[in-house]
Amino acid sequence: MHASRPRIGLALGSGSARGWSHIGVIRVLEEAGIAPDIVCGTSIGALVGAAYADGQLEKFEAWVRGLTWQGVMGLLDFTVSGGLIPGEKLFSFLRSHLDDKSIDSLSKAYGAVATELTTGREVWLREGSVIDAVRASAALPGLFTPARRAEGLLVDGALVNPVPVSLCRAMGADIVIAVDLNSDLIGRRFKPDVPPEADEPPAPGALASMLSRLPLGWGGARGAAPEAPDMPSIFDVLSMSLNIMQVRITRSRLAGEPADVLIRPRLADFALMDYHRASIAIDEGEQAARRALPELSDLAAPRQADPVD
């Protein structure tokens, strides 16, 4: 007999700005001597997973920690065709700052999940451009325009598989560590939109205030009577509805395809576009992974292989 280490898969879930917590989770795994062989991601998980699979996590972390509200807004281009944000400006930036390699050239096996818009089919992206795969996996409906690929029009993989445990298994993982960013979202009270001051970060939900200044009618009713009760803006309604959808789909998928270890950062106070709050998210990712260390402790140890005749 000889000892062999099980192949470990890391399934990084969807969750928009909460996804920066994946960086903290990965840091703790590395400290514990746990090196995933397979990295799969959905939406923001696909982006962080790509940086990790390419060995560029340190460079990527430095960039996200330096993001400001103004910097995030500067990466967005706006339209009203197919989605609010085409994403070309953002992903052109990523191409110029991260090596846009082919997936099969990465140092770790990598896959991303997207959804085919016209059929609802789950699509596994395992070849071609890494950035193109991330672009498709993260195309949140109504916010980012769909990505055109040979598979069709692709949108956010969170619509069908928010935490891609199944893809890790299909790619040969014996053990899957999954990160669920959405476990504590239902019941979160919305916070009324407060426009950010020029010299301070915006409060969560402030994107809706910015949108209310666009000619789209977003951001709540204008001219409402002062005594009218607070109501969420249309952007908040969409955001909370997406939260409910992701939580329900995640619970269903994980019930049928459970991970061996499930890490759940607590980030319910993060709004959809709070990408400028990276340090807080990363710290919570580290804390969540440390809470799971007792479950993770055996993963780095080799296991006994079957005897060879």
Side-chain angles (χ1 to χ4, degrees), residues 252-272:
S252 177
R253 291 298 299 254
L254 290 177
E257 302 157 350
D260 296 281
V261 178
L262 185 59
I263 299 173
R264 288 173 161 161
R266 299 166 183 166
L267 295 162
D269 64 330
F270 264 60
L272 188 70

Side-chain angles (χ1 to χ4, degrees), residues 114-125 132-133 135-137 139 145-156:
T115 304
E116 208 286 307
L117 183 61
T118 58
T119 64
R121 180 173 60 96
E122 181 175 340
V123 177
W124 290 350
L125 304 172
D132 285 349
R135 168 70 177 87
S137 182
T145 55
R148 293 184 182 274
R149 286 178 59 104
E151 298 89 343
L153 288 176
L154 301 185
V155 294
D156 201 316

Side-chain angles (χ1 to χ4, degrees), residues 25 27-34 261-263 286-299:
V25 170
R27 291 300 186 205
V28 172
L29 294 180
E30 290 184 333
E31 290 173 7
I34 300 167
V261 178
L262 185 59
I263 299 173
E286 291 180 354
Q287 293 177 38
R290 295 192 194 285
R291 291 193 292 267
L293 278 178
E295 297 178 77
L296 294 167
S297 59
D298 294 335
L299 297 186

